[in-house]
């Protein structure tokens, strides 16, 4: 899923927000300092037990939800479940460290409730179109075309070589995917040309990306099953339609609802994340040390270690109106993410095809005796040094 096209919409604390309870400048500065102090001492932002508890509470529509703060205290949320629109799905909203300490523009104010919590109740776009046999048939036909194109590509050949030569200490028992998008996005479902051929120039890039990314996940799964026949493949994506689920089930990909994909990640997981709608990088960094990670390359302001610099906000003008623009995307890196990749992983760039994947990096966890400046690994005939 393209993370800037489908931002989450926060719904918790709405009653408190409407009451206008905001922090003073002094209190806001105190909160930011407290978060920075706790973060610098290693207090985690995210926890599997908390994610599982919140996921269950949202699924069961609990009247009261307790959102734990980094200081260990709870903020009470009373979501108005009835107010959810039919085309939105309630899910956990995750706050990055940037959002927690620099999530309001320079002239804005933090809300009192939940200021110290990295969790929210948010809603994401939900697929609402009815299931269609014609659409299912079209998706199957397009899948066959794009899978063949992928399998014949140079990128596929190089990637399979890398996957086939993972070092012995990287034992992978599952693949977990985040943000691959619906096989046929809603914009393509209403386009007659998209449903019948690959020649729709208007939506060609969008459709090609989603099919090709899933084809790559299937190829990785099949390659790794040569070493581990029982390997499982999971995919977390809120936009999957009934037709998507049908096809993915036939490909032996398990679709997980809510944020259960994070609960599957452990030190024997290969993670694939491409422009997700949640901060996968920071969440994974807190939860596990996967054997292999394939996700968006670091770039721009997200390399800057000063995550709380308010000068990064930009005051822009559009159609005569001014608005503040945050420098951070939905899935930014953090100092913890950078440290993890620098000292615990060897890295190589994803082998080409920026059109369908964007700039990605492949990170392979190093053995303990080569961490923190140890020798580089040899992967797929190339030296995998830490490039970030």
């Amino acid at each position: 899923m393209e993370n800037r096209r489908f931002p989450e919409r926060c719904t918790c604390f709405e009653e408190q927000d409407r009451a206008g309870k905001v922090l003073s400048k002094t209190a806001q500065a105190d909160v930011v300092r407290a978060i920075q102090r706790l973060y610098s001492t290693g207090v985690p932002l995210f926890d599997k037990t908390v994610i599982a508890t919140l996921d269950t509470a949202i699924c069961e529509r609990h009247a009261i939800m307790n959102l734990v703060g980094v200081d260990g205290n709870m903020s009470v949320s009373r979501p108005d479940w009835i107010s959810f629109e039919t085309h939105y799905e309630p899910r956990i909203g995750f706050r990055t460290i940037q959002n927690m300490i620099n999530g309001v523009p320079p002239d804005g104010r933090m809300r009192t409730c939940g200021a110290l919590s990295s969790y929210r109740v948010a809603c994401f776009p939900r697929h609402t179109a009815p299931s269609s046999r014609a659409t299912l048939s079209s998706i199957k036909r397009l899948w066959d075309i794009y899978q063949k194109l992928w399998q014949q590509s140079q990128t596929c050949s190089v990637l399979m070589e890398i996957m086939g030569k993972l070092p012995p200490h990287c034992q992978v028992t599952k693949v977990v995917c985040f943000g691959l998008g619906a096989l046929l996005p809603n914009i393509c479902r209403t386009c007659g040309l998209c449903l019948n051929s690959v020649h729709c120039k208007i939506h060609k890039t969008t459709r090609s990306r989603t099919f090709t990314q899933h084809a790559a996940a299937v190829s990785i799964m099949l390659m790794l099953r040569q070493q581990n026949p029982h390997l499982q493949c999971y995919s977390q994506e809120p936009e999957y339609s009934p037709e998507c689920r049908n096809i993915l089930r036939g490909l032996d990909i398990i679709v997980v609802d809510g944020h259960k994909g994070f609960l599957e990640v452990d030190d024997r997981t290969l993670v694939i994340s491409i422009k997700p709608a949640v901060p996968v990088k920071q969440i994974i960094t807190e939860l596990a040390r996967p054997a292999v990670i394939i996700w968006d390359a670091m770039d721009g302001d997200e390399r800057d270690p000063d995550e709380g610099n308010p000068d990064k906000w930009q005051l822009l003008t559009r159609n005569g109106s001014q608005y503040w623009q945050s420098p951070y995307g939905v899935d930014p890196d953090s100092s913890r993410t950078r440290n993890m990749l620098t000292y615990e992983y060897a890295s190589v760039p994803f082998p080409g095809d920026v059109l369908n994947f964007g700039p990605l990096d492949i990170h392979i966890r190093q053995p303990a005796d080569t961490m923190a400046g140890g020798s580089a690994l040899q992967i797929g005939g190339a030296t995998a040094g830490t490039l970030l």
Side-chain angles (χ1 to χ4, degrees):
M1 178 190 293
E2 173 58 56
N3 57 17
R4 287 167 180 78
R5 286 173 49 222
F6 298 105
E8 67 180 52
R9 187 166 65 90
C10 184
T11 62
C12 67
F13 305 132
E14 284 187 346
E15 182 178 345
Q16 296 95 319
D17 287 353
R18 285 194 295 269
K21 295 181 179 180
V22 297
L23 296 171
S24 66
K25 279 190 174 182
T26 301
Q28 180 171 300
D30 290 341
V31 167
V32 169
R33 281 193 292 269
I35 293 171
Q36 290 175 316
R37 176 177 56 80
L38 291 167
Y39 191 72
S40 67
T41 62
V43 173
L45 296 186
F46 309 109
D47 177 84
K48 279 190 177 183
T49 301
V50 175
I51 293 173
T53 300
L54 290 176
D55 219 38
T56 299
I58 291 174
C59 182
E60 297 177 355
R61 302 295 194 266
H62 289 188
I64 295 177
M65 297 184 62
N66 294 314
L67 306 182
V68 64
V70 290
D71 60 347
N73 294 320
M74 297 289 183
S75 296
V76 176
S77 170
R78 296 180 175 85
D80 182 7
W81 302 115
I82 298 177
S83 67
F84 277 100
E85 302 174 45
T86 57
H87 57 282
Y88 280 98
E89 176 184 354
R91 289 192 170 203
I92 303 170
F94 298 96
R95 300 177 69 204
T96 64
I97 183 60
Q98 290 89 347
N99 185 269
M100 293 185 72
I101 64 179
N102 191 22
V104 293
D107 61 356
R109 293 289 185 277
M110 283 184 178
R111 298 293 178 179
T112 304
C113 294
L116 286 159
S117 178
S118 55
Y119 302 98
R120 289 286 187 267
V121 178
C123 55
F124 293 81
R126 183 209 310 257
H127 183 88
T128 57
S131 180
S132 163
R133 287 187 178 181
T135 301
L136 177 61
S137 177
S138 296
I139 294 177
K140 286 182 177 179
R141 183 168 59 253
L142 290 170
W143 168 258
D144 291 338
I145 294 171
Y146 280 105
Q147 185 182 40
K148 185 175 181 179
L149 289 172
W150 161 251
Q151 291 172 340
Q152 294 173 343
S153 70
Q154 179 67 19
T155 298
C156 178
S157 298
V158 177
L159 182 60
M160 291 305 100
E161 182 183 3
I162 294 174
M163 293 296 105
K165 295 183 179 180
L166 292 176
H169 69 273
C170 285
Q171 298 296 316
V172 178
T173 60
K174 66 180 77 171
V175 175
V176 181
C177 307
F178 299 93
L180 301 189
L183 285 171
L184 197 66
N186 281 337
I187 193 173
C188 298
R189 291 173 64 94
T190 57
C191 174
L193 191 55
C194 277
L195 292 173
N196 294 294
S197 74
V198 296
H199 302 298
C200 177
K201 295 182 179 180
I202 299 176
H203 307 129
K204 179 180 179 180
T205 300
T206 300
R207 190 184 58 239
S208 177
R209 285 174 64 93
T210 56
F211 276 101
T212 305
Q213 289 170 14
H214 283 87
V218 170
S219 293
I220 291 172
M221 175 186 71
L222 295 177
M223 171 61 73
L224 295 178
R225 278 185 177 171
Q226 294 180 18
Q227 286 77 42
N228 182 358
H230 302 292
L231 178 139
Q232 299 281 3
C233 184
Y234 302 86
S235 187
Q236 176 179 301
E237 172 54 69
E239 279 199 79
Y240 281 144
S241 65
E243 297 92 346
C244 289
R245 292 169 180 265
N246 184 307
I247 291 174
L248 294 177
R249 185 166 53 250
L251 296 170
D252 209 13
I253 294 178
I254 302 169
V255 176
V256 290
D257 294 315
H259 289 297
K260 295 180 177 63
F262 293 119
L263 307 182
E264 294 292 341
V265 177
D266 57 26
D267 62 357
R268 293 193 171 190
T269 300
L270 185 148
V271 170
I272 303 173
S273 174
I274 305 176
K275 289 185 169 53
V278 291
V280 171
K281 292 180 179 180
Q282 294 191 26
I283 297 171
I284 294 298
T285 300
E286 303 279 10
L287 300 185
R289 290 296 184 265
V292 183
I293 301 171
I294 302 175
W295 63 23
D296 301 300
M298 291 189 293
D299 62 357
D301 286 332
E302 293 169 6
R303 282 182 177 271
D304 195 325
D306 185 6
E307 292 145 342
N309 184 356
D311 295 334
K312 291 180 179 180
W313 282 84
Q314 290 182 293
L315 184 60
L316 305 178
T317 301
R318 178 184 296 167
N319 298 327
S321 299
Q322 289 187 320
Y323 66 97
W324 286 102
Q325 177 171 292
S326 170
Y328 298 107
V330 177
D331 188 31
D333 299 289
S334 69
S335 55
R336 290 181 180 177
T337 302
R338 289 187 289 271
N339 286 338
M340 177 186 75
L341 297 179
T342 298
Y343 298 111
E344 301 178 43
Y345 285 77
S347 307
V348 291
F350 189 82
D353 200 354
V354 176
L355 176 64
N356 285 314
F357 295 93
L360 303 179
D361 285 325
I362 303 173
H363 308 279
I364 296 93
R365 194 182 66 239
Q366 300 188 70
D369 58 354
T370 63
M371 289 184 182
S375 59
L377 296 174
Q378 294 290 325
I379 303 171
T383 299
T386 302
L387 305 178
L388 302 180

